[in-house]
Amino acid sequence: MCDDLQVVFKQIGDGERDPTQDELMNALMGMQQLYQWKFEQLFFKYEQVMKSSSETKKDDSILKKIE
């Protein structure tokens, strides 16, 4: 994310031309959507890991009872 923001800052401050307000808004909205998807995917993966961990703990407790 920091690299993406750096590109925007560079274009605004040091770019060959200033982006139009429309271009800037489109870039920021695109970044917002991109990071929304990234966080959704990360949270989905987190939920999978937590579910898998919970199932492993259940299996371990069942095995201990059998022993």
Side-chain angles (χ1 to χ4, degrees), residues 8-30:
V8 172
F9 293 145
K10 184 176 180 180
Q11 184 63 36
I12 292 170
D14 298 329
E16 292 293 319
R17 65 173 181 82
D18 288 339
T20 65
Q21 187 175 8
D22 207 32
E23 289 174 324
L24 186 55
M25 291 302 295
N26 287 339
L28 294 174
M29 288 189 312

Side-chain angles (χ1 to χ4, degrees), residues 2 6 10 12 14 23 32-35 37 42 46 53-54 63 66-67:
C2 291
Q6 188 174 16
K10 184 176 180 180
I12 292 170
D14 298 329
E23 289 174 324
Q32 179 186 21
Q33 184 61 58
L34 177 67
Y35 286 97
W37 288 335
L42 181 62
Y46 169 78
S53 176
S54 175
L63 288 175
I66 292 175
E67 294 174 349

Side-chain angles (χ1 to χ4, degrees), residues 34-57:
L34 177 67
Y35 286 97
Q36 179 65 35
W37 288 335
K38 285 184 176 189
F39 288 121
E40 285 175 6
Q41 292 170 13
L42 181 62
F43 190 74
F44 177 75
K45 191 59 143 176
Y46 169 78
E47 287 179 323
Q48 287 180 318
V49 168
M50 294 306 291
K51 183 178 178 182
S52 175
S53 176
S54 175
E55 290 172 358
T56 300
K57 287 179 183 179

